Amino acid sequence: MKIIDQLHSDNRGLSCELFPPKEGGQLANALDIVREISTQGVDFISVTYGAAGTAVGKSVSIVSEVEKCGMTAMAHLTCVNATAQHIEETLGTLRDAGVQNILALRGDLPAGMTLEHEAYRHASDLVKKIKEYGGFCVGGACYPEGHPESAGLDDDIEKLKYKVDNGVDFLVTQMFFDNTIMYNYMYRLLAHGINVPVIPGIMPVTNARQIARICKLSGTKLPLHFRAIVEKFADDSEAMKQAGICYATAQALDLLANGFKDVHIYTMNKPDVIGGMMENLSHVVRHD
Ligand code: FAD
């Protein structure tokens, strides 16, 4: 199913993100995670693409498994350092696997890798390419607190408009922990003439050290009241996990109550985390 059709329906739900195992990691384990999540009733499962195309085979195996389980898949695809031929081959592979949704990203060049191909400089170039190829529903990334490289939030939104003008069907946000930031962002998008559906992305924090590193890299802020929770339970892994699921559940509930159709959960490959949220919101999510 195309995600844009889900977003235009009366359904309300959660989707989630998985990432492929690192080099030498266990693909079989990732496929088991897909099968486990496929029983939980999420709207769709997205699968990340290794930086600059590393581990591409594993990403494709995982999205194929999502489709085989009868779920809607969204394949992430990055274009930094990619050639047109590589992009076309990957699109053909995804189409043959039954994938109908792609999150078009620029990506970042991994440390130590030199830029050899500049066919696609920005995600908007990739959006255009996929739309010309045809057949896919295309999403793009957006950043309610601004992309770390941008000169500011308004500058970032002006650049975001290129993706929208090139045909992006919907947007998925970087994680945030304060819903007021998201509502403020929505006003700004509308003021810039961006009115495609937006899927807010949130992360249930289950590991205090990990979240400190992620926030530093992405520029995401932890609100004071949530920082107190993280600090209090940092050394008690079970309490931290429960607190993280509760906090993310409250965030998702607020977002769904205020009209968002889907909330995307950054699960860090933990089926019990998305399972816990689905259970907490079992009467709130709705699939007609
Ligand atoms: P772009 O939209 O190209 O933006 C990057 C920067 O360039 C921004 O500062 C923007 O303001 C600026 N910009 C955009 N267009 C122009 C233009 N025409 N002229 C000048 N400046 C411009 N990374 C992975 O490697 N794999 C993944 O699977 C992955 N999944 C992600 C999923 C989500 C929901 C998000 C939010 C991020 C994801 N990332 C992933 C990380 C992402 O690749 C990085 O944040 C990357 O730095 C930017 O990618 P982008 O697609 O947002 O780039």
Side-chain angles (χ1 to χ4, degrees):
M1 185 177 190
K2 291 200 167 151
I3 290 171
I4 191 64
D5 295 331
Q6 292 188 10
L7 295 173
H8 284 145
S9 75
D10 289 333
N11 292 349
R12 232 180 359 243
L14 304 181
S15 57
C16 69
E17 179 189 278
L18 299 179
F19 54 80
K22 290 207 170 62
E23 223 58 58
Q26 289 293 314
L27 181 60
N29 185 36
L31 299 181
D32 285 344
I33 293 173
V34 170
R35 286 177 211 120
E36 195 172 339
I37 292 180
S38 72
T39 61
Q40 294 172 349
V42 296
D43 286 347
F44 66 89
I45 298 178
S46 81
V47 181
T48 67
Y49 196 75
T54 47
V56 54
K58 289 178 189 161
S59 297
V60 172
S61 302
I62 299 170
V63 279
S64 303
E65 189 64 26
V66 174
E67 290 288 339
K68 274 190 221 150
C69 289
M71 302 281 307
T72 298
M74 175 169 78
H76 296 208
L77 177 60
T78 67
C79 63
V80 65
N81 224 9
T83 60
Q85 188 191 351
H86 171 77
I87 295 292
E88 274 165 29
E89 283 169 7
T90 309
L91 292 175
T93 308
L94 292 172
R95 185 195 52 207
D96 294 346
V99 174
Q100 297 185 60
N101 305 286
I102 296 181
L103 187 67
L105 299 143
R106 182 197 69 182
D108 296 313
L109 211 53
M113 189 184 275
T114 41
L115 187 65
E116 288 170 29
H117 309 289
E118 288 197 82
Y120 303 97
R121 295 170 66 90
H122 304 288
S124 52
D125 302 326
L126 181 60
V127 171
K128 187 162 179 266
K129 172 77 183 170
I130 302 172
K131 281 290 168 185
E132 282 167 2
Y133 187 90
F136 290 104
C137 170
V138 182
C142 65
Y143 303 81
E145 296 175 72
H147 183 268
E149 289 167 29
S150 69
L153 192 49
D154 282 322
D155 171 71
D156 198 32
I157 295 173
E158 273 163 33
K159 305 290 171 22
L160 180 65
K161 186 90 168 51
Y162 297 130
K163 285 185 220 188
V164 178
D165 291 344
N166 282 351
V168 105
D169 295 291
F170 64 94
L171 296 166
V172 186
T173 77
Q174 177 62 287
M175 74 184 82
F176 57 90
F177 296 97
D178 179 351
N179 288 1
T180 57
I181 288 175
M182 183 65 202
Y183 299 131
N184 177 285
Y185 186 60
M186 291 303 291
Y187 277 115
R188 286 173 184 248
L189 294 186
L190 285 176
H192 282 82
I194 296 177
N195 52 17
V196 295
V198 181
I199 302 179
I202 63 173
M203 178 185 273
V205 174
T206 58
N207 180 317
R209 268 176 291 281
Q210 185 182 46
I211 200 62
R213 192 175 53 83
I214 292 174
C215 286
K216 199 169 166 207
L217 282 176
S218 63
T220 307
K221 292 178 204 68
L222 282 190
L224 281 180
H225 64 280
F226 186 49
R227 200 183 302 168
I229 294 172
V230 173
E231 283 169 7
K232 180 79 178 172
F233 302 115
D235 297 326
D236 181 341
S237 60
E238 285 307 311
M240 186 65 253
K241 189 193 241 179
Q242 193 171 53
I245 292 173
C246 285
Y247 188 87
T249 299
Q251 259 193 293
L253 174 60
D254 178 62
L255 292 162
L256 293 172
N258 279 287
F260 288 100
K261 293 290 182 63
D262 178 88
V263 179
H264 198 53
I265 311 299
Y266 296 108
T267 59
M268 303 305 283
N269 286 14
K270 296 189 178 99
D272 52 337
V273 168
I274 181 70
M277 291 191 65
M278 286 298 287
E279 201 178 317
N280 290 344
L281 295 170
S282 58
H283 293 284
V284 170
V285 299
R286 189 180 77 189
H287 295 103
D288 291 332

